[in-house]
Amino acid sequence: MARPRKPLLSTDRIVDTARALVDAEGLAAVSTRRLAAELGVSGPSLYNHFGTKDQILEAVADSVSAQVDLSMFDAGDTRGWRTALHDWAVSYRAALREHPNIVPVLAQGPGRRPAGLRLADAVFGSMTDAGWPPAQATSIGALMRYFVMGSALGSFAGGFVDDETAYDPADYPHLGQAHLLAEHQDVVDDRAFETGLAALLDGLSVQYEQVVTTAH
């Protein structure tokens, strides 16, 4: 019988493998030698697809950006700008929560990454189409990115240990229930995100009314 052939090396296969490695072990785990070993190929063969490790990480970051739903910004979508921003932020956060270790690369901005640039273009275009002045539309895109990425960098609830003795009421009179936070991490963090997102959108809605009034 013929021996099974190894899967052909491709850009997608390299990116998928690198993303899995980043997810499991962090950015520092990625090297051309390690990737080559994971893929079962020689190190130099990777250079047919990527020139440097940084290029691989950029591609991994862009593959995560590509997972974010942008359909709410389509021309035929009937959601208003506020609902569109909300739904996009939820999808954006979900993608980052699946791949939190790549957030530091994404936080540097889209650079030349195609999916990252499509994301920025969709948000900016939707806001200007809704009547926001370009400068404010830019600020909204930046604000949303700060908020979503900040929420994905770590867990508030997960930052508290589940040891009741760590919170001596003599020192921390208001943290008597803090040891319970980690147990309810997802609920606490999701509620915090939705609370912040609603407050942010409420504030933008007030500004938008002022923009519309001024324009007319």
Side-chain angles (χ1 to χ4, degrees):
M1 293 179 62
R3 297 176 64 182
R5 304 174 70 180
K6 290 183 179 179
L8 292 175
L9 190 62
S10 66
T11 297
D12 287 344
R13 187 168 168 237
I14 294 170
V15 171
D16 289 346
T17 302
R19 185 174 59 242
L21 194 56
V22 170
D23 288 344
E25 301 181 32
L27 295 171
V30 178
S31 67
T32 53
R33 178 179 296 181
R34 177 71 184 279
L35 274 176
E38 294 285 335
L39 291 161
V41 299
S42 64
S45 62
L46 295 176
Y47 294 112
N48 293 323
H49 301 271
F50 295 99
T52 65
K53 167 188 167 178
D54 286 344
Q55 289 179 2
I56 296 172
L57 291 177
E58 286 285 305
V60 170
D62 212 38
S63 74
V64 173
S65 292
Q67 297 175 14
V68 181
D69 182 15
L70 298 177
S71 64
M72 66 287 297
F73 300 128
D74 290 345
D77 195 280
T78 58
R79 280 170 280 191
W81 68 265
R82 176 182 171 132
T83 301
L85 273 184
H86 175 277
D87 294 350
W88 167 69
V90 170
S91 176
Y92 196 5
R93 176 176 180 252
L96 299 190
R97 289 188 76 186
E98 287 292 317
H99 311 282
N101 290 335
I102 200 65
V103 172
V105 179
L106 286 165
Q108 297 171 10
R112 297 177 181 272
R113 295 184 230 118
L117 289 171
R118 283 193 294 272
L119 187 154
D121 180 76
V123 175
F124 179 81
S126 178
M127 294 305 100
T128 53
D129 288 346
W132 285 99
Q136 287 176 278
T138 299
S139 296
I140 290 170
L143 170 63
M144 297 298 291
R145 190 165 71 88
Y146 298 152
F147 176 70
V148 175
M149 286 192 176
S151 74
L153 281 173
S155 165
F156 172 81
F160 291 85
V161 298
D162 60 0
D163 179 3
E164 188 173 1
T165 64
Y167 309 102
D168 188 330
D171 296 322
Y172 316 108
H174 306 295
L175 296 182
Q177 301 295 308
H179 65 286
L180 301 175
L181 287 173
E183 181 182 350
H184 305 285
Q185 178 175 324
D186 288 343
V187 173
V188 173
D189 290 345
D190 288 348
R191 187 171 57 215
F193 177 77
E194 283 292 345
T195 298
L197 182 57
L200 188 157
L201 293 173
D202 284 346
L204 287 177
S205 294
V206 172
Q207 292 186 32
Y208 185 71
E209 290 302 317
Q210 296 171 348
V211 168
V212 171
T213 302
T214 301
H216 294 85

